[in-house]
């Protein structure tokens, strides 16, 4: 420290209190420190190089060279006929709305952040051209060329065009070979019904931003223009497609989740969801309750396998597992769950549909309590492709080949809620069940989960149980999902594709034979009629 102070001599000159506008300077052996103290009274330099160019009968373009200031230049004032008409920080100004065949005089002044203004630049004068009336083209003159009465894309006025679509907007940039006052119209059809944006000046470099668009949507647009001679017409017609929306939807849960005991280990098995952007699954273990999120327990596995051996986990009374699916953008599924009790080897079904007071897990894990929530099956939302399916007499009809989202409104659940557990029965094996959690979404409007397509036709019993922080059941509702698969694209997983094609071919063959018999009978009847 002493060496540093010996090397550096710091001198501070505070002169602003006496001489405003003076810069105080501190000097050491290593660097110079400058600080502005006091008020600034020195104006910027006078702008130079002012030019005024008439580009249309109603517009004059101004350009000039930059000024400098001893502290901070703020901008320029534009004067026309001794009247200030604009303030700008640019070195150009387009003066529009003028009168044809009229002389105007301009000058520019510069000002700084202390409101000091320079002297005026050298004035320049210019005259707007008179309005030119373009006569209609003769019969031998194509109306589409540059000598015609109207402008068309054939004139090739647009030299370059750049379209930059975003999710809900688009920027359209283009350069024209002459000063053009243009308008862009857009819509979903060729009528361009959604809107238009017009330019106020004749320019060569154009840029328009259209906002309020729908992600992942194709739009049509047209650029119309008018030149300095009053000729109008279409310059370009085209389309653009906005970017797809961000993927905010979680992947489906794993299906067929089971847990079995193998000596001191727990062997888990599942089927991965078919989401194209599936990144990995994470298995979380807890010995008290189903892990409700990725931090509620011990992470025992991450990867893309269809099973995992949790070595040495068969200790204590029981283990609870939740398997979360992750996509490439970090969206997380609600979680598929399974529990295992070590007193009785094998898989434990947490809830039996219809047992409205059965606590989580097999009898003995927690004590049953009186339900505290009046949860009805009609309160549960079943959604496919954005359409809510309504229950009729406790049965929801759905497409077994499409993903299914199950949701419950957030306001229906109590603040002391811990878990919402859904149990889906296997339509092909009544002894098997599939359990998963409902988790609150980011907007805190729904408890929700997305399931992979059921894949087969059949009836699937479904139940929803609500548990508080003590793991006691406080609400229950149950019903049936009636899944149907009817299209070729939805081939049941239990039937091989060749078998399915054979079945389909046989069905069509029978119809063909029937039609052939009908045609033969009609032909025979027609022949008999002619003979008679």
């Amino acid at each position: 420290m002493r060496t540093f102070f010996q090397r550096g001599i710091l001198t501070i000159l505070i002169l602003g209190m006496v001489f405003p506008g003076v810069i105080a300077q501190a000097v050491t052996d290593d660097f110079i420190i400058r600080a502005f103290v006091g008020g600034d009274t020195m104006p910027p330099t006078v702008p130079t190089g002012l030019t005024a160019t008439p580009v249309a009968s109603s517009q004059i373009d101004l350009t000039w060279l930059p000024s400098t200031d001893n502290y901070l230049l703020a901008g320029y004032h534009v004067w026309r006929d001794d009247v200030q008409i604009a303030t700008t920080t640019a070195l150009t100004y387009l003066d529009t709305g003028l009168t044809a065949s009229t002389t105007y005089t301009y000058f520019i002044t510069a000002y700084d952040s202390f409101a000091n203004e320079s002297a005026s630049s050298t004035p320049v004068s210019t005259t707007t051209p008179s309005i030119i009336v373009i006569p209609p083209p003769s019969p031998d003159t194509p109306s589409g060329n540059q000598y015609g009465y109207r402008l068309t894309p054939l004139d090739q006025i647009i030299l370059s065009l750049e379209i930059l679509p975003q999710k809900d907007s688009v920027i359209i940039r283009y350069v024209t070979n002459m000063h053009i006052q243009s308008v862009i119209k857009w819509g979903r059809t060729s009528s361009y019904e959604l809107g238009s944006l017009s330019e106020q000046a004749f320019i060569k470099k154009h840029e328009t931003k259209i906002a309020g668009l729908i992600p992942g949507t194709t739009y049509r647009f047209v650029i119309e223009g008018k030149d300095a001679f009053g000729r109008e017409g279409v310059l370009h017609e085209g389309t653009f497609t906005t970017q797809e929306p961000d993927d905010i939807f979680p992947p489906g849960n794993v299906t067929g989740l089971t847990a079995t005991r193998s000596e001191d280990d727990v062997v888990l098995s599942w089927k991965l969801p078919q989401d194209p952007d599936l990144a990995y699954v994470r298995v979380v273990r807890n010995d008290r309750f189903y892990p409700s999120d990725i931090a509620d327990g011990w992470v025992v596995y991450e990867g893309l396998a269809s099973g995992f051996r949790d070595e040495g986990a068969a200790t204590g009374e029981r283990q609870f597992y939740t398997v979360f699916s992750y996509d490439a953008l970090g969206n997380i599924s609600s979680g598929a769950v399974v529990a295992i009790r070590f007193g009785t080897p094998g898989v434990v079904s947490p809830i039996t549909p219809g047992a409205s007071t059965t606590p989580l897990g097999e009898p003995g894990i927690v004590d049953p309590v009186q339900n505290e929530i009046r949860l009805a099956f009609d309160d549960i939302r079943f959604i496919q492709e954005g359409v809510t399916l309504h229950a009729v007499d406790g049965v929801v009809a759905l497409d077994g080949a499409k993903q299914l989202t199950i949701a419950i409104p957030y306001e229906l659940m109590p603040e002391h809620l811990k878990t919402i557990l859904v149990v889906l029965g296997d339509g092909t094996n009544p002894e098997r069940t599939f359990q998963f959690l409902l988790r609150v979404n980011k907007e805190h409007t729904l408890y929700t989960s997305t399931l992979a397509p059921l894949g087969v036709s059949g009836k699937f019993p479904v139940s929803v149980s609500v548990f508080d922080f003590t793991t006691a059941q406080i609400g229950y509702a149950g019903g049936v999902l009636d899944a149907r698969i009817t299209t070729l694209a939805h081939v049941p997983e239990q039937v091989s594709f060749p078998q399915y094609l054979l079945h389909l071919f046989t069905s069509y063959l029978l119809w063909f034979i029937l039609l052939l018999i009908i045609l033969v009978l009609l032909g025979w009847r027609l022949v008999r009629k002619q003979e008679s």
Side-chain angles (χ1 to χ4, degrees), residues 305-327:
S306 297
F308 169 71
R309 175 182 288 267
D310 191 9
E311 297 180 357
T315 59
E317 292 186 39
R318 58 194 177 273
Q319 293 287 8
F320 299 89
Y321 293 89
T322 302
V323 181
F324 299 98
S325 304
Y326 283 72
D327 65 16

Side-chain angles (χ1 to χ4, degrees), residues 483-507:
R484 289 291 179 266
I485 296 179
T486 58
T487 63
L488 177 61
H490 305 146
V491 181
E493 295 181 4
Q494 284 75 10
V495 181
S496 68
F497 193 74
Q499 290 176 333
Y500 184 83
L501 287 180
L502 179 61
H503 172 74
L504 190 65
F505 174 77
T506 304
S507 300

Side-chain angles (χ1 to χ4, degrees), residues 257 290 335-339 348-350 421-424 433-437:
L257 177 61
Y290 291 110
V337 298
V338 68
V348 178
S349 300
L421 183 68
V422 179
V423 176
L424 184 64
T433 59
F434 169 43
Q435 306 94 39
F436 56 93
L437 303 177

